[in-house]
């Protein structure tokens, strides 16, 4: 066997191995993308489902609280105003602390995404 045949054989082996590596890498990234996509869709579905039911519950509780406060104060309008102001204060606090909320969400998602 000559030196050129040996070099040719070694380069063919290297080429075959690099092709195999690229194929395996491609398959791995396809699986990784599928995993991340399925986790994201699942998380969005859970948030929408749980959030929707929670929102309906909060709506009924808010209306009940407004009527209760209205009955106590002899003014249903005042009861609804108080509940509305409570939501305005909560919204303002969430707006003020939105940066820390974003940081916590990004930190949690980055642990899941880059796992």
């Amino acid at each position: 066997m000559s030196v050129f045949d040996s070099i040719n054989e070694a380069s063919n082996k290297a080429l075959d191995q690099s092709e195999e590596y690229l194929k395996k890498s491609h398959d791995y990234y396809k699986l990784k993308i599928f995993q991340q996509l399925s986790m994201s869709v699942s998380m969005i579905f859970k948030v929408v489902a749980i959030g929707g039911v929670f929102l309906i519950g909060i709506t009924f509780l808010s209306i009940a609280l407004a009527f209760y406060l209205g009955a106590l104060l002899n003014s249903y309008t005042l009861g609804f105003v108080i509940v509305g102001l409570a939501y305005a204060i909560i919204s303002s606090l969430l707006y003020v602390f939105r940066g820390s909320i974003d940081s916590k969400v990004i930190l949690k998602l980055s642990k899941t995404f880059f796992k």
Side-chain angles (χ1 to χ4, degrees), residues 17-28:
Q17 288 179 353
S18 64
E19 286 176 356
E20 184 68 21
Y21 173 76
L22 286 174
K23 183 179 179 284
K24 296 289 184 190
S25 295
H26 182 260
D27 292 341
Y28 169 77

Side-chain angles (χ1 to χ4, degrees), residues 1 3 5 8 15 23 25 29 40 47 49 57-58 69 71 76-77 81 84 89 92 94 96 101 105 108-109:
M1 179 183 270
V3 173
D5 289 336
N8 188 27
L15 182 62
K23 183 179 179 284
S25 295
Y29 285 113
S40 298
V47 166
I58 290 294
L69 291 175
Y76 288 115
T77 305
V81 168
I89 290 170
S92 298
L94 288 173
V96 168
I101 294 170
V105 169
K108 182 157 177 75
L109 287 177

Side-chain angles (χ1 to χ4, degrees), residues 40-105:
S40 298
V41 169
S42 173
M43 186 184 331
I44 289 170
F45 179 76
K46 287 187 281 189
V47 166
V48 168
I50 294 169
V53 172
F54 182 74
L55 185 62
I56 291 169
I58 290 294
T59 301
F60 281 112
L61 288 174
S62 298
I63 292 170
L65 178 63
F67 277 122
Y68 177 73
L69 291 175
L72 286 179
L73 300 171
N74 294 326
S75 172
Y76 288 115
T77 305
L78 191 57
F80 278 92
V81 168
I82 290 171
V83 171
L85 286 175
Y87 278 115
I89 290 170
I90 292 170
S91 297
S92 298
L93 289 173
L94 288 173
Y95 181 77
V96 168
F97 295 112
R98 70 188 181 280
S100 63
I101 294 170
D102 288 342
S103 299
K104 289 179 183 178
V105 169

